[in-house]
Amino acid sequence: MTDNHVQRYFITLSYDGAGYHGWQIQPNGISVQERLQQALSTLLRMPVEVVGAGRTDAGVHASMMVAHFDLPTSIDSLPAEAERGGVANLAYRLNRILPRDIAVQRVEAVAPDMHARFSATSRTYYYYLHTVKDPFLRNTSWETHYQLDFPAMNEAAAWLLTQSDFASFCKVGADVKTTLCQLSRAEWVQLSPVAWRFEITANRFLRNMVRAVVGTLVEVGRHRITLADFQRIVESKQRTEAGESMPAHALFLVDITY
């Protein structure tokens, strides 16, 4: 719905994905989208459908997710909304009924042609790893005791910026029209003597892409494949040539720009 009688809203939220089967509504598992729709429908007393900026897989977290929803009129003009604080108070009210692992930062009216997914110009993901046992990182970072060559991994990551077709990192059977993506950043950043994160920004991402990229870069870091091997894998456009998909719990969607 994008006609002149519809008011569109953007909602910015974050969530711990450990307890969900991803963002998108699933037939046999609880999703973040489902929980958010239920909360909005309850508060606004009408069916509400939300459209997300993307789809995070099961177990993946988001420190920033954006979604939009449409209403036949503005929230502030709905019956009884004025006394409840209207759109200015909606984030607070949503947080009171949403589970503790989902938090809404703001709700704001936008132009009807703004789209949470298609209007986004870039998305950024972080993948975390640490090299010593740490009970406080076990749910948000991948623990590894491999001796990783991060300069080699960054050399391979930098080469990715020269590429546009990432079919080698797309989940087999994914329903995508194109495997072309425009990367603007791909880099390992050291956070401490024992902790690193991979930062990657692109206009769009393929299903399972970031975890497959990380898994293949780890192969470079372990010296199991060379930079030339890595380049050959990308150019093959075959998912079976690339490394394993890394565990979901260490992956975060952290930024979306419009």
Side-chain angles (χ1 to χ4, degrees), residues 102-122:
I102 302 175
V104 172
Q105 283 74 53
R106 63 182 178 273
V107 182
E108 55 192 332
V110 297
D113 61 347
M114 285 292 291
H115 194 285
R117 178 183 175 189
F118 298 123
S119 297
T121 56
S122 75

Side-chain angles (χ1 to χ4, degrees), residues 9-15 36 63-69 91 94-95 98 102-108 254-256 258:
Y9 292 90
F10 266 25
I11 181 166
T12 305
L13 66 150
S14 56
Y15 53 85
L36 184 59
S63 55
M64 178 188 183
M65 170 62 90
V66 177
H68 77 248
F69 63 94
L94 282 167
N95 284 328
L98 282 166
I102 302 175
V104 172
Q105 283 74 53
R106 63 182 178 273
V107 182
E108 55 192 332
V254 300
D255 191 39
I256 304 167
Y258 290 89

Side-chain angles (χ1 to χ4, degrees), residues 40 97 107 230:
L40 281 166
I97 66 173
V107 182
F230 182 81

Side-chain angles (χ1 to χ4, degrees), residues 147-164:
Q147 296 296 316
L148 296 176
D149 184 344
F150 284 98
M153 292 160 69
N154 267 335
E155 186 178 1
W159 180 81
L160 286 176
L161 302 183
T162 69
Q163 302 302 296
S164 58

Side-chain angles (χ1 to χ4, degrees), residues 31-74:
S31 69
V32 179
Q33 182 184 29
E34 180 180 354
R35 286 286 186 247
L36 184 59
Q37 287 188 173
Q38 289 172 345
L40 281 166
S41 299
T42 297
L43 291 179
L44 299 177
R45 302 182 182 183
M46 66 176 71
V48 176
E49 294 184 4
V50 298
V51 176
R55 300 188 303 181
T56 54
D57 291 335
V60 175
H61 315 291
S63 55
M64 178 188 183
M65 170 62 90
V66 177
H68 77 248
F69 63 94
D70 294 332
L71 296 178
T73 185
S74 70

Side-chain angles (χ1 to χ4, degrees), residues 156-175:
W159 180 81
L160 286 176
L161 302 183
T162 69
Q163 302 302 296
S164 58
D165 193 331
F166 296 94
S168 295
F169 303 121
C170 183
K171 185 173 183 177
V172 175
D175 182 19

Side-chain angles (χ1 to χ4, degrees), residues 121-184:
T121 56
S122 75
R123 299 157 174 83
T124 297
Y125 282 88
Y126 289 169
Y127 193 92
Y128 290 86
L129 69 78
H130 58 288
T131 57
V132 297
K133 186 176 181 180
D134 188 329
F136 302 106
L137 294 178
R138 70 188 190 281
N139 296 323
T140 56
S141 178
W142 177 58
E143 181 181 326
T144 178
H145 300 285
Y146 297 131
Q147 296 296 316
L148 296 176
D149 184 344
F150 284 98
M153 292 160 69
N154 267 335
E155 186 178 1
W159 180 81
L160 286 176
L161 302 183
T162 69
Q163 302 302 296
S164 58
D165 193 331
F166 296 94
S168 295
F169 303 121
C170 183
K171 185 173 183 177
V172 175
D175 182 19
V176 293
K177 295 181 180 178
T178 176
T179 52
L180 300 180
C181 306
Q182 297 173 2
L183 267 63
S184 55

